[in-house]
Amino acid sequence: MNGKQQLVSEVGEFGLIDIINTDTIIDKMHVLKGIGDDCAVVRTADPNSYQLFTTDMLVESIHFSKLMQDEDVGYKAIICSVSDIAAMGGMPRDCLISLGTPGNIEVARIERLYAGMRQACKAYNVNIIGGDTVCSPQGIIINVALTGTIDSRYVVYRSGASIGDLVVVSGKLGLSAIGLVLLQQQIAQTAENQHFFEKHCRPTARVELGQLLAKHGATAMNDISDGLASELNEIANSSAVGILIDERLIPVARLPLAIEALLEKSSTHYALYGGEDYELVFTIAPSSYARFSAATKAAVAVIGQVTAEFSGVQLRTIDGSLITLESRGYNHFSN
Amino acid sequence: MNGKQQLVSEVGEFGLIDIINTDTIIDKMHVLKGIGDDCAVVRTADPNSYQLFTTDMLVESIHFSKLMQDEDVGYKAIICSVSDIAAMGGMPRDCLISLGTPGNIEVARIERLYAGMRQACKAYNVNIIGGDTVCSPQGIIINVALTGTIDSRYVVYRSGASIGDLVVVSGKLGLSAIGLVLLQQQIAQTAENQHFFEKHCRPTARVELGQLLAKHGATAMNDISDGLASELNEIANSSAVGILIDERLIPVARLPLAIEALLEKSSTHYALYGGEDYELVFTIAPSSYARFSAATKAAVAVIGQVTAEFSGVQLRTIDGSLITLESRGYNHFSN
């Protein structure tokens, strides 16, 4: 530490979390999982049920901009947290919403923001039970803290992936990031491109799918908030395994030519690094996966396998070469 | 709404809360108290125990400045929320901490901030079970979401004040606001003025006192975060009663001459409007108060009585006149 002081931008979000995540738990019997998963997990008075907790902060000009409708910003703020509950296999329940806002913002904007939040809360049966309202010197700040419940038999951590498990994702990936590009370039919505906008502005949290997967024995699960590459690295690192995925198997959207012409990167790039799709990525034993597939029509795709041959995440590209997938999703600090 | 749009600064925090607090609860059996008290209260699997929730957002340059040590900012961020739990009569348990920080801040500052948070969490037996870490375009943002537990027989809302109850406060009031003046004027700490700095930078949350009061039948309770006038108005309005207090009975600090010379307002003014003392103000039947007084040596002072003669809050001044106390504590929006 002589001389030069290290900056937050140099250690990034994960470096910060390492600094924060020391000596945080006093009651180790009560806290089953603290920092380091989609949700914290604590015991309740009912041994058959655990409580889940998650929180997300969204800051104007970092996580959203005036290009998005206020209702959509509010809706998505709730979905971010609901999706974390889904990624454990749980059911969302109660939320607290903190709002920071400059004084010179129109009250009508705040009303629209909360209208969007209420819509999302109704869609996922979440009670808004409290919050805080403060002044912000610049831009709107939203913090959502959300609880959930889960059957204690079925909680899915990101640390349970086993050698030989399949690696599976729900939905199609990269659409949200492509939707953001369309918003930023102020492209008009059409029937052909509408699903990209919707995925970015009104994403779905996979709560039912998460519960179904938990009951069918998914061994590790994350929601895709930071991009597939980042989520896979979290699972591989937490589970101390390697993950090999095949580029040809990653479900991406078919791109209309008009959109393809706008994009600087491939569909795969947006799927791997785009983030905010709020789909689920999970590992599951092949036999469990067969039973799960028979029980549902959910759109999921096997993209790879858990392996002992290396640590971290590797991608077999379309041309057959193997590359290491680094955990670089959104790192807002480095922008 | 023709023409001119209303601004957040025109409706203030309480106007905003009215806008937010509509149609928020889906499961009315589960949620005993939503928005509108120090904490939300929900049922748990154990009928003898309720869960409490509170959240507080602190924004640099609004709620704290670089004049405060980073450790103190962190410590106080936890205390704000613990004090809300104390004001219901509860025990704090688990917290989630969201941090927004610019990338160009020294990591050492964040380390000091969390060192302060950990100190406060240890002092009050709070587990840090999760959080979020995001980029902020300007200044540090801290959001704390905290749970607590409370015996279902003893929860104290702010709405239970009854005609004839005594109005009582703990500690001495106004010290935190005076401490802030000393900080802002960069006055050196001395043995004589140290308690003003400490009250501002390292406040105490009255958790044990809150629990004792709950068991002794306090009928309504608030922590003093926004100043006595604001808290009394919340109790009077929520309870649909009037409150009459006597200026001579408000416990204020003796001011050394050197401090008195610096202050623009009276001690009473800082007590009524200063805020951040994190003492408790409560109402209690005279017979319950007698039993409580016999059971404790806690420094508390009767400052008035609950009355049916008017609504709102009135103050009998030292010269004997009656004035209406408006609910103006800190309103950051109007600055």
Side-chain angles (χ1 to χ4, degrees):
Chain A
M1 297 293 285
N2 287 348
K4 187 170 164 293
Q5 288 280 351
Q6 206 174 23
L7 299 181
V8 166
S9 56
E10 296 171 298
V11 299
E13 179 176 358
F14 295 107
L16 270 191
I17 293 171
D18 286 340
I19 290 164
I20 291 165
N21 189 15
T22 52
D23 196 17
T24 55
I25 308 298
I26 294 168
D27 185 349
K28 293 187 169 63
M29 275 299 292
H30 166 66
V31 181
L32 294 161
K33 183 75 203 176
I35 295 168
D37 213 309
D38 289 301
C39 293
V41 185
V42 302
R43 292 184 202 276
T44 70
D46 176 3
N48 299 315
S49 180
Y50 294 151
Q51 191 168 33
L52 305 172
F53 288 100
T54 181
T55 192
D56 287 286
M57 185 178 272
L58 290 100
V59 179
E60 188 168 351
S61 83
I62 304 285
H63 301 94
F64 61 91
S65 73
K66 292 200 175 63
L67 293 170
M68 267 178 81
Q69 302 284 325
D70 297 316
E71 285 92 339
D72 291 342
V73 171
Y75 192 93
K76 194 168 168 178
I78 299 295
I79 295 299
C80 294
S81 290
V82 172
S83 180
D84 286 325
I85 301 283
M88 310 296 291
M91 280 275 282
R93 187 150 210 187
D94 301 315
C95 77
L96 301 167
I97 300 166
S98 299
L99 173 74
T101 170
N104 64 357
I105 277 188
E106 290 165 12
V107 171
R109 267 196 82 187
I110 306 300
E111 286 174 340
R112 291 194 296 267
L113 199 67
Y114 275 82
M117 291 188 195
R118 268 192 289 270
Q119 282 171 37
C121 284
K122 283 195 178 161
Y124 293 88
N125 280 311
V126 172
N127 304 296
I128 303 173
I129 60 169
D132 193 16
T133 317
V134 302
C135 183
S136 156
Q138 183 187 310
I140 288 175
I141 309 159
I142 303 166
N143 193 89
V144 177
L146 176 66
T147 69
T149 57
I150 189 163
D151 185 315
S152 54
R153 291 170 297 174
Y154 296 137
V155 56
V156 187
Y157 298 99
R158 63 175 58 140
S159 56
S162 288
I163 310 304
D165 283 352
L166 301 174
V167 179
V168 192
V169 298
S170 67
K172 291 184 176 169
L173 305 184
L175 280 78
S176 175
I178 293 170
L180 176 60
V181 173
L182 302 184
L183 262 184
Q184 285 169 337
Q185 303 209 10
Q186 300 187 36
I187 306 298
Q189 279 197 44
T190 64
E192 197 181 35
N193 67 23
Q194 196 182 353
H195 55 301
F196 296 97
F197 286 99
E198 277 176 3
K199 192 77 176 178
H200 187 74
C201 298
R202 291 270 169 165
T204 298
R206 300 293 178 199
V207 175
E208 282 180 31
L209 179 61
Q211 289 179 75
L212 195 65
L213 285 165
K215 282 180 187 152
H216 279 84
T219 52
M221 188 150 58
N222 259 16
D223 71 319
I224 303 179
S225 50
D226 293 333
L228 182 61
S230 175
E231 310 303 342
L232 288 173
N233 271 284
E234 287 189 348
I235 291 174
N237 293 341
S238 299
S239 303
V241 296
I243 287 177
L244 174 64
I245 64 166
D246 189 324
E247 182 178 359
R248 292 166 309 172
L249 301 178
I250 299 172
V252 294
R254 193 190 59 77
L255 294 183
L257 285 179
I259 292 179
E260 200 164 11
L262 291 169
L263 300 179
E264 293 174 0
K265 305 281 175 70
S266 69
S267 292
T268 302
H269 180 92
Y270 291 101
L272 291 175
Y273 304 112
E276 299 197 359
D277 284 314
Y278 300 111
E279 296 293 346
L280 295 175
V281 53
F282 56 97
T283 59
I284 187 167
S287 56
S288 303
Y289 184 68
R291 283 190 292 276
F292 163 75
S293 295
T296 177
K297 289 180 176 159
V300 297
V302 175
I303 60 169
Q305 201 150 15
V306 178
T307 174
E309 286 172 32
F310 52 84
S311 58
V313 182
Q314 297 206 2
L315 174 77
R316 190 178 302 281
T317 63
I318 290 171
D319 65 16
S321 56
L322 268 186
I323 60 168
T324 297
L325 271 190
E326 301 291 346
S327 180
R328 71 183 163 100
Y330 281 125
N331 179 355
H332 293 297
F333 293 115
S334 63
N335 289 343
Chain B
M1 295 292 284
N2 286 349
K4 186 172 164 293
Q5 289 278 350
Q6 206 174 24
L7 299 180
V8 165
S9 55
E10 296 170 301
V11 300
E13 180 175 358
F14 295 106
L16 271 190
I17 293 172
D18 287 341
I19 288 163
I20 291 164
N21 189 14
T22 52
D23 198 16
T24 55
I25 309 297
I26 293 167
D27 185 348
K28 293 188 169 61
M29 276 299 292
H30 166 65
V31 181
L32 294 162
K33 183 74 204 178
I35 295 169
D37 213 309
D38 289 301
C39 293
V41 185
V42 302
R43 290 184 202 276
T44 69
D46 175 2
N48 299 316
S49 181
Y50 294 151
Q51 192 168 33
L52 304 173
F53 288 101
T54 181
T55 192
D56 287 284
M57 183 177 274
L58 290 101
V59 179
E60 188 169 349
S61 83
I62 305 287
H63 300 94
F64 61 91
S65 73
K66 292 197 177 65
L67 294 171
M68 265 177 83
Q69 302 283 325
D70 297 316
E71 286 94 338
D72 291 340
V73 171
Y75 192 93
K76 194 168 168 178
I78 300 296
I79 295 298
C80 293
S81 290
V82 171
S83 180
D84 286 327
I85 301 282
M88 309 296 290
M91 279 275 284
R93 187 151 211 186
D94 300 317
C95 78
L96 301 166
I97 299 167
S98 299
L99 174 74
T101 170
N104 65 357
I105 278 188
E106 291 166 11
V107 171
R109 266 197 80 187
I110 306 300
E111 286 174 339
R112 291 193 297 266
L113 200 65
Y114 275 81
M117 291 187 196
R118 267 193 288 270
Q119 282 172 35
C121 285
K122 285 195 176 160
Y124 293 89
N125 279 310
V126 172
N127 304 295
I128 302 172
I129 60 170
D132 193 15
T133 316
V134 303
C135 182
S136 156
Q138 184 188 308
I140 288 176
I141 309 161
I142 304 165
N143 192 88
V144 176
L146 177 66
T147 69
T149 57
I150 189 164
D151 186 314
S152 55
R153 290 170 297 174
Y154 296 136
V155 56
V156 187
Y157 299 99
R158 65 175 57 142
S159 55
S162 289
I163 310 303
D165 283 352
L166 301 174
V167 179
V168 191
V169 298
S170 68
K172 289 183 178 171
L173 306 184
L175 280 76
S176 175
I178 294 169
L180 176 60
V181 173
L182 301 185
L183 263 183
Q184 286 169 335
Q185 303 209 9
Q186 301 186 35
I187 306 298
Q189 280 197 43
T190 64
E192 196 180 36
N193 67 24
Q194 197 182 353
H195 56 301
F196 295 97
F197 286 98
E198 276 176 6
K199 191 78 177 179
H200 187 73
C201 298
R202 290 270 169 164
T204 299
R206 301 291 178 199
V207 175
E208 282 182 30
L209 179 62
Q211 290 178 76
L212 194 65
L213 285 165
K215 283 181 186 150
H216 277 85
T219 52
M221 188 150 59
N222 259 18
D223 71 318
I224 303 179
S225 50
D226 292 333
L228 182 61
S230 175
E231 310 304 342
L232 288 173
N233 270 282
E234 288 188 350
I235 291 175
N237 294 340
S238 299
S239 303
V241 295
I243 286 177
L244 174 64
I245 64 167
D246 188 324
E247 183 178 358
R248 292 167 307 173
L249 301 178
I250 300 172
V252 294
R254 193 187 61 75
L255 293 183
L257 285 178
I259 293 180
E260 198 163 11
L262 291 170
L263 300 179
E264 293 174 1
K265 304 284 174 73
S266 69
S267 292
T268 303
H269 180 92
Y270 291 101
L272 290 174
Y273 304 113
E276 299 197 0
D277 284 314
Y278 301 111
E279 296 293 345
L280 297 174
V281 53
F282 56 96
T283 59
I284 188 167
S287 57
S288 303
Y289 183 69
R291 282 189 293 276
F292 163 75
S293 295
T296 177
K297 287 179 178 162
V300 297
V302 174
I303 60 169
Q305 200 150 13
V306 178
T307 174
E309 285 172 33
F310 51 84
S311 58
V313 182
Q314 297 206 2
L315 173 77
R316 189 178 303 280
T317 62
I318 289 172
D319 66 16
S321 55
L322 268 186
I323 60 168
T324 298
L325 273 189
E326 300 291 345
S327 180
R328 72 187 161 97
Y330 281 125
N331 179 354
H332 294 298
F333 293 115
S334 63
N335 290 343

